[in-house]
Structures are given as C-alpha cells and as structure tokens.
C-alpha cells in the first residue's frame, strides 16, 4: 500500500503590541506532519502483485527487508467495541520488524455469531473501525476462522501475530497450532484490565443506569426494547432522583448559609469584644484609678453638704460658729449647771428668785 503524506509548514512571527515596533517575522521550522489516509480493503482475489512471493524467514525480517519487500504480518480478530487493547496489539504487530506491512482480518457477523456469540457492532462498523487505526495497512473483510494454506498464499502472508495463549475454538485446542508448527507465529502481549467482554459486563451490570440515561436523551422505550411497566418505573425513579438531588442541593445551600451566618456572628462577637476592650481602655486612660477616687470623694462631700441643714440665728442657744450640730450640750451652754432639786417645804419663790437672779432675769 502506498502511504500518502502531506508536508506542511507554518510561519510564525512576533507581532507588535501596544505601540511597540514589531520585529521582522521569522520562519519557524517544523517537522513535516504526515496525515495518513485510511487503510485499504484487500481485494477478494488477494494481493495483486505479479512479483514472485519469496519466503522471508524470521531472522531476515528482524534484520530488515528491502523497502519494496516488507514483511507481511497478519493479525485477525473480531474487534467488537474497538478499544485500546485492540490498538496496542496491532501496534505490537506493526513494530515486530523494521519493515512491516500489517494486514488485519476481521470475521463477519455470521461467522462470529456461530463460533463466539452475538456482537454489539455490526461487521461493517467493525471494518470501518479497523481502517482508521493508524497501525493498519490493509483490512481483509470476511476473514476465515481458521487460517488455511490457501488463504495465507492468497494474501502473501509471511507471519501471523497473536497472543501466545492457546485459543480454543471450533473444536480445536489451539486454532494457531499449525501456524506455530510452521514457524510463522509471532507472539504479542495482551493488555490486562480491558477487553470487549469486560465492557459488555459493565453495560449489563449497570443496565438500568444506561436505560434511564438513554430515555433522558430522547430514545423511546421501543428502541431500547423496554416494556411499558419498566418505562414507567424508570420515569418514576428519575423523578425521585431529581427530588433527592433538589433536596440535597437545598441542604447544601442551607449548610452554606448557616456557615456564613456563623462566620458573621463570630466576626461580630470579635468586633464587640474588641470595641469593649477599647472602651474600657479609653475609660481607664481618661479616668484613672486616682482621678476616679478623687472625683468620688468630691462628689460624696458635696452630697453630704447638700443634705445638712442651714445654720440657726445668732440669738438661738443652739447656734455655733460652724454648721452642724454638736452632740455635747456643754458646747452650746458652757455656764449651765445642774443642781439637785430643793428640799420639801422650801420656798419655791426663793429658788425661782435665785434662778432669775442667776440668769439675770
């Protein structure tokens, strides 16, 4: 097969920005990028070359063959749900030798359903998937299940690439046994963790999820081969899930709101504490302990002075040079003397006269 390549180069330069004078454009050299066309389909009559097909040994192929005589390596399979495991196997087959032409055989639906089982993709879809793989040079449609000498000669196949695990099928312990005995078998490695069977298992395991997803995307129950009752069940489950999602969203929003309120209240409390400390500090700075006690004493003295009565007239025996009352009677009447009462029978007039005479009455 002739590979068509397209060489392209892209000019790249520095453009001026913001009034800065632009620099002269410089050509940026890039490696040519090969845009490969899809692989070809093999002709029903086989290889159309008229040149004699000289057998290539394994040692010769590993050393490298002439450019006009690549080693033709054949790899076959079902390639249903084409995945990275298929691509890696074909990559290994393509890189077995320095000069390799990879021919890939794809079995038909009828043959596959007979010997292996039902496929997800049709044979035409599987053919199309293979011709767009970058490692494939030629695709053989309706490939045989067991390789015959006639088929190998028809397509001028030098080697057959497949994993070394015995492939039990079609009543044989290993369908590649005669290829191995002929020295035409080259082993490749399987990619663990992925296979067509694994992908189908995932779909079967999550069947309800994929049915509901496709119903949401507009597929009808008839297209999905789903009955009326199951369709209503899936619709109801979808509504319940939407309600749960709505409740979950509301809960998340409420939690977020509560969190924000808590943050705001915490900030408010911190601000109150800060303001209260500032107020107390300013108060103590303005009215220190000494100043405050002095003001309290002054105010208490003023209050007591306001509560005490005003002074009596000077003619009153109770007047004193200062305000207030004295508890001692002698302070007000220093000349007052207390005498014993007169004896019985004594004249009251004399006593009264004496008293009047004493006090100057």
């Amino acid at each position: 097969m002739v590979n068509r390549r397209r060489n392209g180069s892209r000019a790249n330069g520095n453009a001026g920005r913001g009034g800065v004078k632009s620099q002269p454009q410089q050509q940026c050299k890039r490696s040519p990028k090969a845009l490969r066309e899809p692989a070809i389909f093999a002709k029903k009559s086989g290889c159309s070359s008229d040149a004699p097909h000289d057998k290539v040994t394994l040692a010769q192929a590993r050393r490298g063959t002439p450019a006009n005589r690549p080693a033709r390596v054949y790899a076959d399979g079902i390639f249903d749900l084409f995945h990275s495991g298929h691509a890696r196997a074909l990559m290994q087959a393509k890189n077995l030798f320095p000069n390799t032409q990879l021919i890939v055989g794809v079995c038909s639906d009828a043959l596959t359903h007979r010997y292996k089982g039902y496929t997800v993709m049709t044979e035409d879809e599987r053919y199309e998937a293979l011709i767009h793989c970058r490692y494939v040079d030629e695709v053989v449609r309706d490939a045989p299940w067991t390789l015959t000498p006639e088929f190998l000669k028809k397509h001028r196949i030098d080697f057959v690439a497949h994993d070394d695990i015995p492939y039990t099928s079609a009543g044989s312990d290993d369908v590649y046994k005669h290829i191995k005995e002929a020295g035409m078998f080259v082993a490749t490695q399987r990619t663990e963790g992925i296979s067509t069977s694994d992908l189908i298992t995932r779909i079967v395991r999550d069947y309800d999820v994929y049915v509901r997803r496709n119903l949401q995307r507009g597929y009808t129950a008839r297209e999905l081969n789903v009955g009326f009752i199951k369709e209503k069940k899936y619709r109801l489950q979808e509504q319940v899930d939407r309600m749960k999602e709505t409740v979950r969203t509301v809960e998340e929003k409420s939690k977020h709101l509560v969190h924000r309120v808590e943050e705001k209240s915490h900030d408010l409390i911190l601000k109150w504490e800060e303001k209260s400390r500032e107020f107390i500090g300013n108060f103590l700075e303005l009215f220190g302990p000494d100043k405050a006690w002095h003001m309290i004493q002054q105010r208490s003295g003023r209050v007591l002075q306001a509560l005490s009565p005003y002074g009596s007239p000077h003619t009153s025996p109770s007047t004193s040079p200062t305000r207030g009352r004295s508890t001692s009677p002698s302070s007000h009447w220093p000349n007052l003397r207390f005498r014993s009462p007169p004896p019985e029978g004594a004249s009251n007039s004399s006593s009264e006269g004496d008293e009047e005479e004493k006090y100057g009455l």
Side-chain angles (χ1 to χ4, degrees):
M1 186 193 73
V2 179
N3 294 334
R4 302 176 183 176
R5 300 178 182 272
R6 298 177 182 175
N7 299 332
S9 61
R10 183 177 299 175
N12 188 11
N14 297 324
R17 294 183 180 179
V20 181
K21 185 177 180 180
S22 61
Q23 300 293 332
Q25 294 184 355
Q26 299 177 354
Q27 295 292 334
C28 181
K29 295 182 179 180
R30 296 175 179 268
S31 59
K33 181 180 179 181
L35 300 177
R36 184 173 175 179
E37 299 291 340
I40 63 172
F41 287 110
K43 296 181 179 180
K44 293 183 179 180
S45 59
C47 188
S48 59
S49 177
D50 296 332
H53 183 67
D54 297 331
K55 195 66 177 175
V56 177
T57 63
L58 186 61
Q60 291 175 343
R62 286 177 177 171
R63 285 196 303 266
T65 57
N68 60 350
R69 177 60 177 89
R72 290 175 63 84
V73 178
Y74 178 82
D76 60 355
I78 310 303
F79 302 104
D80 191 21
L81 296 176
F82 190 80
H83 53 75
S84 61
H86 295 142
R88 289 176 64 87
L90 297 177
M91 178 188 68
Q92 296 177 56
K94 178 67 174 178
N95 295 323
L96 285 173
F97 310 114
N99 187 16
T100 304
Q101 189 172 12
L102 182 59
I103 303 99
V104 179
V106 183
C107 300
S108 64
D109 287 344
L111 200 60
T112 304
H113 299 168
R114 178 181 176 184
Y115 289 108
K116 190 170 184 178
Y118 193 75
T119 59
V120 178
M121 300 171 64
T122 64
E123 59 182 85
D124 292 331
E125 292 171 342
R126 292 185 281 120
Y127 297 155
E128 288 292 327
L130 264 298
I131 66 172
H132 291 286
C133 179
R134 61 185 299 184
Y135 309 111
V136 178
D137 298 309
E138 187 176 330
V139 174
V140 178
R141 291 174 287 194
D142 194 12
W145 198 261
T146 303
L147 301 179
T148 62
E150 293 77 16
F151 179 82
L152 298 175
K153 183 178 180 180
K154 176 181 177 181
H155 294 280
R156 298 191 175 190
I157 296 171
D158 296 315
F159 303 99
V160 176
H162 200 272
D163 60 82
D164 202 15
I165 301 174
Y167 194 85
T168 305
S169 181
S172 175
D173 294 336
D174 189 2
V175 296
Y176 298 103
K177 182 179 181 180
H178 63 288
I179 304 295
K180 295 177 181 177
E181 293 174 351
M184 299 174 60
F185 186 83
V186 185
T188 57
Q189 299 295 324
R190 291 178 62 90
T191 302
E192 298 296 333
I194 186 169
S195 67
T196 302
S197 299
D198 293 338
L199 297 177
I200 295 175
T201 301
R202 297 179 198 176
I203 296 173
V204 172
R205 181 187 59 198
D206 301 326
Y207 169 77
D208 292 344
V209 176
Y210 294 118
V211 170
R212 288 170 55 185
R213 184 191 69 174
N214 286 0
L215 285 173
Q216 294 175 15
R217 295 185 176 182
Y219 288 87
T220 63
R222 184 175 181 180
E223 291 173 333
L224 298 173
N225 196 23
V226 175
F228 178 80
I229 302 298
K230 276 194 172 182
E231 180 189 4
K232 298 303 179 185
K233 175 185 174 182
Y234 292 139
R235 301 288 187 187
L236 180 60
Q237 288 178 350
E238 183 63 27
Q239 293 179 0
V240 171
D241 290 345
R242 287 181 180 178
M243 293 179 62
K244 289 182 179 179
E245 186 66 25
T246 303
V247 172
R248 191 178 300 110
T249 304
V250 172
E251 289 180 353
E252 291 295 332
K253 290 183 178 180
S254 61
K255 289 180 180 178
H256 181 67
L257 180 60
V258 170
H259 183 66
R260 289 185 60 185
V261 170
E262 290 179 352
E263 289 182 349
K264 292 292 185 181
S265 61
H266 183 67
D267 294 340
L268 185 60
I269 291 173
L270 292 178
K271 289 182 179 179
W272 272 101
E273 291 179 352
E274 182 180 355
K275 290 295 182 182
S276 61
R277 292 193 189 98
E278 183 180 356
F279 177 78
I280 294 173
N282 294 336
F283 180 80
L284 292 177
E285 183 179 355
L286 184 62
F287 304 101
D290 297 336
K291 296 180 180 180
W293 178 249
H294 183 67
M295 291 181 61
I296 291 173
Q297 286 182 339
Q298 288 183 350
R299 292 190 178 183
S300 62
R302 292 175 182 174
V303 170
L304 292 175
Q305 184 178 1
L307 292 176
S308 62
Y310 293 104
S312 302
H314 292 284
T315 56
S316 174
S318 63
T319 57
S320 62
T322 60
R323 292 185 179 181
R325 297 176 180 268
S326 175
T327 56
S328 177
S330 60
S331 60
H332 299 288
W333 301 284
N335 298 322
L336 182 63
R337 296 179 182 178
F338 294 93
R339 296 190 235 181
S340 60
E344 293 181 359
S347 174
N348 291 333
S349 62
S350 61
S351 61
E352 290 177 357
D354 293 339
E355 289 179 358
E356 289 178 357
E357 182 179 353
K358 183 177 181 179
Y359 292 106
L361 298 175

